[in-house]
Amino acid sequence: MEADKLLRKHNLRVTGFRKEVLALFNQRSAAVDSRTIEKHLQPADRVTVYRTLRTFEDSGIIHRIPDPTGAVKFALCNDGCNDLAHHHSHAHFHCNTCAMTICLDGHGQMPIDLPSGYTANDIQTIVCGVCAACNRAT
Amino acid sequence: MEADKLLRKHNLRVTGFRKEVLALFNQRSAAVDSRTIEKHLQPADRVTVYRTLRTFEDSGIIHRIPDPTGAVKFALCNDGCNDLAHHHSHAHFHCNTCAMTICLDGHGQMPIDLPSGYTANDIQTIVCGVCAACNRAT
DNA sequence: TTGTTAATGCAACAGTGTTGCATGTGTTTT
DNA sequence: AAAACACATGCAACACTGTTGCATTAACAA
């Protein structure tokens, strides 16, 4: 979706910086972390990057993907998300070699046995391994 | 397992601090973060805590569990782990209310479709929801 | 175009994790 | 049991990540 329309749809002001951030998300298939945004959008204030990411996450434009290492990356949401709820029970792949992270879509959810009294509202799966590029490089 | 035996089994020196850390892991069913260790083992140097956790993780005594928020916790491994490889394809539960994290065991792995050229060696599942104690408190 | 509200930039701070080095302690060897 | 060695610990300082407060600037609505 156009950056302008996407922002307006979520009741956010359309600013140059936000459009650049969205463009960066669009041109990358892999998940992005705040460092990458800082570096690529040259005169980018760290604070603004963090606030932008938080705003986008709260609005349902992007979703948070934790690494196995504890690092956090973000990727664009599909259309189902808004400020009320994220719907991201899809799996993510994390490359142990280059630390790249991507979304894996199109598969059902595994049945989980929870202890009694527990309730679940979101299931995230992280698949760790080696991506195609790193496998070729070996 | 006895702390002494566990440490010796992994070729680590048996020190007071390490035994206290292992005792803390043993007396808690939930995953533990470095802050908790610092606070509970009173005169505990942050650096020593981090190095101890890293040593234990490298040796296969504990495994790392990332929160959806990006925070990192640790829990004891089952017996199959050593310095060469961790085997932790089991799921973890994270309570959105109290931030408690536990291991869920005893279920099979979901089949995952990876893009061609990708290889997987570990699958981690994080179930987010509300634990029994927090559900009761509502 | 003007006024209101939100976004940005800057400075300072807090939390988390790391590195280097000196000192202390566990383990092995004699 | 003592000495020597290697590793573990504690301290100081640092780096990185993320946050808060406040002044300034830009977007949007009237």
Side-chain angles (χ1 to χ4, degrees), chain B residues 10-87:
Chain B
H10 291 276
N11 297 313
L12 296 176
R13 295 203 170 165
V14 180
T15 68
F17 187 75
R18 287 179 176 173
K19 286 195 283 190
E20 286 181 66
V21 173
L22 286 178
L24 187 60
F25 273 108
N26 269 319
Q27 81 193 203
R28 306 217 162 195
S29 51
V32 174
D33 62 5
S34 65
R35 279 296 300 278
T36 304
I37 297 177
E38 271 179 61
K39 280 188 299 186
H40 278 259
L41 272 52
Q42 269 306 339
D45 187 48
R46 272 214 329 289
V47 179
T48 304
V49 172
Y50 286 122
R51 286 201 267 233
T52 302
L53 289 173
R54 176 187 291 222
T55 300
F56 283 2
E57 189 188 8
D58 290 347
S59 301
I61 295 180
I62 60 177
H63 62 286
R64 173 182 294 259
I65 308 170
D67 264 20
T69 64
V72 173
K73 295 183 177 177
F74 294 89
L76 289 173
C77 291
N78 47 39
D79 293 344
C81 299
N82 55 40
D83 58 325
L84 297 174
H86 278 273
H87 302 96

